[in-house]
């Protein structure tokens, strides 16, 4: 999978890397071609009646899920969200097979998505070509005569998403969200995150030695003799470790102030005399800039020393490695694709088997041509009625937050007024964009899988870089319509719900209102709350990083979030690996706030419709249905290796804690299920931020 550089604070419902198909954790051959249906708003079959909802609500709401739907061998985890993605992938598969079959009547977009998909599926052609499609780039690396030639090569690599040394792109200026500026960010690592290079313990050490072996294997498959490959791999590991040392960790990167350092271009040139930025910028062809955001200045100082101290042969080996490692492995010959799977999916995430090729090619097409595929998808699968129902729910949740803010007893009137102003300025984006992206200049050639991937990357990076200096397009989307995920953007101050997530059970027109508020309402509430979590609250109504809080209110807010940090720090995800309460704080705040907003909105809805809250329906009161709907969003199971990977890289807590960690903070839950104060799901002391 190509790594995408996204320089936007996108606070998601699920990990971004796993978005479309909750994605990389998925699916392959024989055992995994099972087709799934969408589950109803409340699925009684999933409930484990022998569990006590007051002791472990996740087990009660979801206990039967793993028995009914065991993790397929081509996944590192499986749950309700993954079932929706399997279902959606099947639809996209049929669409793409049809588009690939060709015919005169294809629209321009159908030609592109059909041929992209068909080229990805043509493993015989890919194998036959071998490394030949990479050869021009390998030749450019081999031809490097001095480090002075690095800027030009890195400019080209940047455009085709090769993750070498650092990242360069465009972002909205944190301090003035109407401006689009250039950004230079840390990068260049091959392991999932900085701390993988330094973490102590047997598992971490084993991962590092497996990683060095993986680099060796890849270099060998690219034609290097064994001893040279092994020696290069070690040097590459040393270089990446040095880069990691000067990189900022993911928890610190959550604070926008830590990744915002505007400086004149001349100052960047002063701290990195070994790297000629003027040559890089000329080659990357952006409009001339005078200043930019250098996210982590210390990283670039360190990078400068590394370029000075590393010999050219090691740099060349590192570039060969990053070139192949950054390439979408579906476009590589089978032996390299298998080796990539073995390390990144099997060893790191515990996935026993590779996913079927068609699923990986559906994903690759979505990633390259998301809005072309999405346009066809929406026309077929997202009727106006789905959009209307969602709009209503979003408005109800926003009204709930308004009410919640009004009754807040810990915030001063001045801060409250600014919070309300921000809330009222939130833009709602539902289903798909009003204006579709124009792909007419992107050439997709049948039979050229790697060329297509590179051209798609260049097309997207050019589109991003061309924004610098231009006005912001507030209608733009950061996710494709079939994506089963959602996000809040702090600089846009908008909430975004792609069509993919607006399907049962998250929104089910046959479910009760209670169930829909528990499922979909909590997701909407989650995204809205992101505007007010420890990260989002630092941005104002216009999307500017601007402290609108009084010192007193900040202090009270931090006391409240400290409670959540401690609560989640205590949860053990797997073996000796505990959740990182600080890394997951924003997501946990959004989960907790989201459910409360959905609860307030549902009570208002029940009042409007005269729903009797004591009247059981199908065995459950409306409030029990509400909480069960919420809990069942997360039904599923995750393999231990994937859990470890998740806790160490993902700001979202594992599924069980996204349920239990939240309901135990809502005494209303305990009341709905008749729990006694002091039971695990109804502790005497609980946390509440929003
Ligand atoms: Zn989130």
């Amino acid at each position: 999978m190509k790594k995408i550089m996204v320089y936007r604070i996108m606070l998601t419902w699920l990990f971004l890397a796993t978005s479309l198909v909750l994605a990389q954790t998925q699916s392959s051959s024989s055992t995994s071609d099972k087709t799934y249906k969408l589950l109803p708003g409340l699925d009684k079959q999933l409930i484990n009646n022998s569990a006590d909802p007051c002791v472990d609500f996740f087990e009660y709401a979801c206990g039967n899920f793993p028995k009914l739907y065991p993790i397929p061998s081509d996944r590192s985890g499986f749950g309700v969200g993954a079932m929706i993605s399997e279902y959606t992938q099947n639809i996209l598969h049929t669409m793409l097979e049809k588009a690939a079959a060709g015919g005169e009547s294809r629209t321009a977009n159908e030609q592109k998505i059909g041929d992209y998909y068909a080229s990805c599926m043509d493993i015989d052609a890919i194998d036959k070509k071998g490394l030949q499609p990479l050869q021009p780039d390998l030749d450019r690396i081999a031809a490097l005569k001095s480090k002075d030639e690095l800027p030009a090569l890195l400019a080209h690599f940047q455009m085709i998403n090769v993750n070498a040394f650092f990242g360069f792109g465009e972002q909205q200026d944190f301090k003035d969200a109407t401006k689009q500026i250039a950004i230079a960010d840390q990068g260049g690592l091959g392991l999932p995150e900085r701390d993988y290079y330094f973490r102590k313990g047997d598992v971490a050490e084993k991962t590092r030695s497996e990683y060095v072996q993986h680099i060796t294997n890849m270099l060998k498959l690219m034609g290097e003799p064994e001893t040279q490959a092994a020696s290069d791999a070690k040097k590459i590991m040393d270089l990446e470790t040095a880069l990691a040392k000067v990189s900022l960790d993911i928890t610190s990167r959550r604070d926008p102030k830590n990744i915002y350092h505007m400086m004149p271009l001349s100052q960047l040139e002063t701290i990195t005399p070994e790297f000629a930025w003027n040559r890089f910028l000329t080659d990357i062809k952006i409009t001339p800039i005078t200043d930019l955001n250098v996210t982590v200045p210390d990283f670039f100082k360190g990078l400068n020393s590394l370029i000075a101290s590393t010999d050219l042969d090691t740099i060349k080996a590192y570039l060969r490695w990053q070139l192949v490692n950054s390439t979408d492995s579906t476009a590589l010959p089978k032996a390299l694709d298998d080796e990539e799977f073995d390390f990144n999916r099997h060893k790191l995430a515990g996935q026993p088997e590779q996913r079927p090729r068609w699923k990986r090619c559906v994903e690759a097409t979505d990633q390259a041509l998301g809005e072309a595929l999405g346009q066809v998808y929406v026309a077929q699968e997202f009727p106006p009625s789905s959009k209307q129902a969602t709009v209503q729910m979003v408005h109800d949740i926003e009204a709930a937050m308004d009410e919640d803010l009004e009754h807040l007893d810990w915030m001063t009137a001045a801060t409250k007024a600014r919070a309300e102003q921000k809330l009222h300025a939130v833009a709602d984006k539902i289903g798909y964009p009003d204006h579709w992206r124009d792909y007419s200049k992107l050439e997709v050639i049948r039979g050229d899988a790697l060329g297509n991937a590179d051209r798609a990357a260049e097309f997207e990076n050019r589109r991003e870089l061309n924004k610098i200096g231009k006005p912001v397009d507030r209608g733009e989307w950061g996710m494709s319509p079939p994506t089963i995920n959602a996000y809040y953007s702090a600089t846009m101050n908008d909430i975004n719900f792609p069509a993919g997530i607006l399907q049962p059970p998250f929104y089910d027109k046959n479910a009760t209102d209670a169930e829909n508020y528990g499922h979909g309402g909590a997701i909407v509430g989650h995204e809205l709350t992101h505007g007010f979590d420890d990260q989002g609250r630092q941005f104002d109504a216009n999307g500017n990083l601007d402290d609108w809080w009084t010192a007193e209110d900040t202090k009270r807010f931090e006391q409240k979030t400290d409670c959540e940090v401690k609560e989640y720090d205590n949860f053990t995800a797997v073996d000796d690996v505990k959740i990182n309460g600080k890394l997951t704080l924003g997501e946990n705040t959004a989960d907790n706030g989201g459910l409360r907003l959905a609860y307030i909105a549902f009570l208002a809805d029940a009042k409007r419709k005269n729903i009797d809250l004591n009247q059981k329906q199908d065995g459950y009161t409306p409030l029990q249905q509400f909480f069960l709907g919420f809990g069942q969003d997360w039904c599923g199971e995750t393999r231990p290796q994937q859990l470890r990977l998740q806790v160490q890289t993902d700001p979202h807590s594992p599924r069980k804690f996204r349920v239990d960690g939240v309901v135990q903070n809502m005494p209303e839950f305990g009341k709905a299920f008749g729990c006694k104060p002091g039971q695990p799901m109804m502790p005497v002391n609980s946390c509440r931020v929003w």
Side-chain angles (χ1 to χ4, degrees), residues 489-523:
S489 162
T491 48
M492 292 281 197
N493 195 25
D494 63 10
I495 49 178
N496 303 258
F497 305 95
I501 201 171
L502 305 171
Q503 305 186 73
F506 298 148
Y507 179 78
D508 176 5
K509 63 180 190 320
N510 300 315
T512 65
D513 283 0
E515 289 153 10
N516 277 331
Y517 277 93
H519 278 292
I523 296 174

Side-chain angles (χ1 to χ4, degrees), residues 309-331:
S309 63
T310 310
D311 63 89
L312 190 60
D313 282 343
T314 301
I315 288 178
K316 287 183 181 182
Y318 169 73
L319 293 174
R320 285 196 298 276
W321 157 242
Q322 282 299 347
L323 171 67
V324 73
N325 188 41
S326 301
T327 299
D328 183 341
S329 63
T330 56

Side-chain angles (χ1 to χ4, degrees), residues 38 87 91 377-395 428-432 477 481 497-510 516 520-521 524:
L38 296 176
Y87 173 87
I91 293 169
Y377 172 78
V378 161
Q380 189 182 310
E381 296 294 320
F382 194 64
S385 60
S386 296
K387 187 157 178 162
Q388 277 150 20
T390 317
V391 169
Q392 184 58 48
M393 176 160 300
V394 170
H395 289 164
D428 307 327
K429 286 171 28 193
I430 292 155
Y432 53 91
W477 280 66
F497 305 95
I501 201 171
L502 305 171
Q503 305 186 73
F506 298 148
Y507 179 78
D508 176 5
K509 63 180 190 320
N510 300 315
N516 277 331
V524 174

Side-chain angles (χ1 to χ4, degrees), residues 402 405-408 410-425 532 540-541 548-550 553 690:
D402 231 348
L405 280 176
E406 224 170 275
H407 294 113
L408 222 54
W410 56 272
M411 197 181 252
T412 60
T415 308
K416 210 180 254 193
R418 295 292 300 271
E420 274 163 3
Q421 191 193 1
K422 177 166 183 177
L423 171 64
H424 297 153
F532 303 88
D540 69 11
W548 46 274
W549 293 62
T550 64
D553 287 319
W690 293 106

Side-chain angles (χ1 to χ4, degrees), residues 11-14 486 526-527 530 533 586-587 590-591 652 658:
L11 304 167
T12 62
W13 183 66
L14 281 160
H526 174 104
E527 295 311 334
H530 269 316
D533 69 18
E587 295 302 334
D591 280 346
H652 302 84
R658 293 192 76 165

Side-chain angles (χ1 to χ4, degrees), residues 297-347:
D298 283 348
F299 173 83
F300 285 90
K301 285 179 202 155
L303 175 63
N304 188 70
S305 322
L306 267 172
I307 293 178
S309 63
T310 310
D311 63 89
L312 190 60
D313 282 343
T314 301
I315 288 178
K316 287 183 181 182
Y318 169 73
L319 293 174
R320 285 196 298 276
W321 157 242
Q322 282 299 347
L323 171 67
V324 73
N325 188 41
S326 301
T327 299
D328 183 341
S329 63
T330 56
L332 293 174
K334 189 170 184 307
L336 283 99
D337 187 30
D338 287 349
E339 173 61 31
E340 193 278 337
F341 165 79
D342 183 63
F343 179 72
N344 286 305
R345 298 307 314 154
H346 180 60
K347 292 204 169 78

